[in-house]
Amino acid sequence: LDHGADDCLSWPIERRELVARVQSLIRRQRRRHVADDAESAQWVRFGPWLLDTQRRTLNDQDGQDVPLSQAEYRLLLTFLQMPHQVFTRDKLMDEARGRGLDAFERSIDLLVSRLRAKLGDDPRQPRLIQTVRGQGYLFNAAPALNQGTVLPH
């Protein structure tokens, strides 16, 4: 591990454990690749919004800056990286706040509520960030990068 290995296994190893570890490495690599794609693109457009990933600012359709906190930016970027996917509260807390923080489960609800307000999304009839009862939240907009490509789902 000191020389850069991602994991280490003791012999003999069960086939199921080996497959699970390899799949986990593949998932982490894909997430890194998607995050790198989003971070390398300066502009991500979704609906009337434009996210500047270098300045970490959000612009509305009139070009006005909408200030985002660090957690709001990370939450929005998480949604943009995997749109139309239901995220559990735990997953969103991991992505937006980092699991190192001791946060209440419902604190992510407050963060989503603040982001909805900044996006002008009606909490009673949300269009962009939808609540999936008993499961979590779903981002309902397909982002496009400045190069004209779409982030993978």
Side-chain angles (χ1 to χ4, degrees), residues 79-139:
F79 280 138
L80 288 169
Q81 288 170 354
M82 292 181 265
H84 310 293
Q85 174 179 327
V86 176
F87 289 93
T88 64
R89 285 183 176 91
D90 284 340
K91 176 70 173 164
L92 289 175
M93 283 174 57
D94 286 345
E95 297 293 329
R97 293 206 180 265
R99 195 34 100 174
L101 296 175
D102 286 332
F104 295 107
E105 181 179 323
R106 297 294 179 180
S107 67
I108 198 68
D109 296 334
L110 178 60
L111 184 60
V112 167
S113 176
R114 288 195 328 243
L115 185 57
R116 273 183 180 153
K118 290 185 177 185
L119 293 173
D121 212 9
D122 181 6
R124 291 183 187 95
Q125 300 267 330
R127 293 179 345 261
L128 288 175
I129 304 174
Q130 298 176 343
T131 303
V132 180
R133 190 174 177 95
Q135 294 182 27
Y137 295 100
L138 175 136
F139 189 71

Side-chain angles (χ1 to χ4, degrees), residues 41-59:
Q42 182 176 353
W43 301 98
V44 181
R45 180 172 295 284
F46 59 101
W49 300 97
L50 193 61
L51 181 67
D52 183 339
T53 59
Q54 291 183 347
R55 290 182 33 228
R56 296 181 173 232
T57 58
L58 181 66
N59 296 320

Side-chain angles (χ1 to χ4, degrees), residues 1 4 29 134:
L1 294 175
Q29 189 61 32

